[in-house]
Amino acid sequence: MAHGAGGKASRRLVEGLIAPLFANETLAPLADAAIFPVAACRIATTADAFVVKPLRFAGGSIGELCINGTLNDLAVSGACPRTIMVSLILEAGLETATLRAELEAMAAAAARAGVAIAGGDTKVVEHGACDRMFVTTFGVGVVDERLRLGAQHVRKGDRVLLSGPIGDHGITILLARGELELEADLRSDTRSVWPMVRALLDAVPDGVRWMRDPTRGGVATALNELARDAGCAIALHEDAIPLRSEVRGACEILGLDPLHIANEGQFLAVVAERDAQRALEAVRAVAGGEDAALVGTVQSEPARAVVGITGYGGTRMIDMLVGDPLPRIC
């Protein structure tokens, strides 16, 4: 299970087995979406799979999640989402009402984003061969020609922007399972981040260096991957990170680091220092982006590491997620 959790084990699986066998220039960056030229523009494509348990939870469901998650992989690649394909794997005996509800959730999420669901496939497997329903998606977007995103463009002094509170999705899924005697008024943050990303790109098109949505593995894993790929260090100002008290409390009780908890409606961006305040104001001006914050700074040492700076002025090394504290969250 850890190999699907988005942390170190996942990275070893991808880099040690999958990527070498499929090696090609388009795959090499191991980004959220593959970008390649088509005629006069660059196209971004992405594929994803959704196996969340339970199917419905506060703030969303697998139907809404699969659309938003696919849109977000395109958005943080600088691509305006254009179309999505959806394939369903259904367990024999799945209630028609459940399937209809998830299809309606997919249609509503796609309509909100102005994106067409253009095709897909459906398979039904024997009872017990899957857990009610799984969904796979394929998304296509057109990359903003003004952008050149990637770890290779990150420079010392750049700032790290976070779009909003972290940990809402992962803790909401944990509570929805009813396996723990914990209660909190939390909802998943699943949503399309494209409106916020578009505002950011319009405000500082030359100042955005890198973007990522911190899903499995959380903020800690996304920033460690950036530090490693760019050969830099990220100084993360922990007091600046937006975090709801309910998430903080649940993490303290369960011994989890909020930086490792999955998010489904937030994104991280590295922006040039000169543009940081303008970038922050642009994201905060979009509905849902009011809690965006500048949470970190790119520095040269210690190379390939993320350093947390506490409110008391202390420091700690922040590692990637190891293991799988919350399986089947997306």
Side-chain angles (χ1 to χ4, degrees):
M1 296 295 287
H3 287 87
K8 281 189 174 180
S10 296
R11 193 78 183 189
R12 282 197 297 269
L13 174 64
V14 171
E15 293 183 340
L17 179 61
I18 299 174
L21 292 173
F22 293 167
N24 61 72
E25 186 175 318
T26 305
L27 176 64
L30 296 180
D32 285 305
I35 297 175
F36 52 90
V38 175
C41 63
R42 290 183 296 158
I43 299 295
T45 61
T46 188
D48 211 337
F50 296 84
V51 296
V52 64
K53 182 180 182 180
L55 296 181
R56 302 191 76 81
F57 44 83
S61 71
I62 190 172
E64 186 175 357
L65 188 66
C66 73
I67 300 299
N68 290 338
T70 307
L71 295 175
N72 291 346
D73 280 344
L74 294 170
V76 296
S77 302
C80 177
R82 291 296 179 86
T83 191
I84 293 180
M85 294 187 179
V86 175
S87 290
L88 307 172
I89 299 175
L90 308 176
E91 182 183 27
L94 178 70
E95 307 88 348
T96 301
T98 298
L99 177 58
R100 174 179 289 277
E102 296 314 318
L103 295 175
E104 289 174 347
M106 293 177 199
R112 282 194 297 273
V115 175
I117 298 176
D121 191 21
T122 302
K123 295 289 189 300
V124 178
V125 297
E126 295 85 354
H127 182 71
C130 79
D131 191 354
R132 305 186 73 191
M133 68 179 294
F134 296 156
V135 184
T136 63
T137 60
F138 179 75
V140 179
V142 177
V143 180
D144 190 316
E145 281 304 314
R146 299 169 296 180
L147 303 179
R148 291 296 181 269
L149 301 177
Q152 70 275 23
H153 301 299
V154 171
R155 299 289 182 268
K156 179 183 176 182
D158 288 348
R159 302 295 303 278
V160 178
L161 187 154
L162 174 61
S163 63
I166 63 171
D168 290 5
H169 179 73
I171 297 300
T172 296
I173 295 298
L174 183 64
L175 296 176
R177 291 174 185 164
E179 298 170 352
L180 299 171
E181 294 182 1
L182 289 176
E183 293 185 2
D185 184 18
L186 269 179
R187 298 170 62 84
S188 168
D189 60 358
T190 177
R191 58 177 173 170
S192 167
V193 301
W194 175 244
M196 290 185 289
V197 169
R198 182 174 54 193
L200 171 65
L201 300 182
D202 287 342
V204 291
D206 297 329
V208 183
R209 317 280 206 205
W210 172 95
M211 288 192 288
R212 182 67 57 85
D213 55 337
T215 53
R216 293 171 303 160
V219 168
T221 297
L223 291 182
N224 267 282
E225 290 178 345
L226 168 62
R228 193 195 65 169
D229 294 344
C232 66
I234 306 294
L236 194 59
H237 305 286
E238 297 196 44
D239 275 5
I241 297 172
L243 181 66
R244 301 187 200 283
S245 58
E246 294 89 346
V247 173
R248 184 189 305 279
C251 287
E252 288 176 352
I253 292 171
L254 299 170
L256 300 173
D257 187 336
L259 294 171
H260 286 147
I261 304 300
N263 313 276
E264 288 292 343
Q266 308 298 349
F267 73 96
L268 289 159
V270 172
V271 296
E273 183 178 19
R274 66 175 188 276
D275 296 321
Q277 193 58 41
R278 194 146 45 101
L280 177 63
E281 291 170 0
V283 176
R284 282 182 170 176
V286 178
E290 297 85 353
D291 294 324
L294 296 170
V295 300
T297 306
V298 177
Q299 56 189 38
S300 53
E301 298 292 339
R304 302 164 65 88
V306 177
V307 180
I309 301 173
T310 69
Y312 299 102
T315 60
R316 69 178 179 117
M317 300 302 293
I318 298 174
D319 201 356
M320 298 174 67
L321 173 68
V322 178
D324 187 11
L326 300 173
R328 293 189 54 184
I329 52 177
C330 61

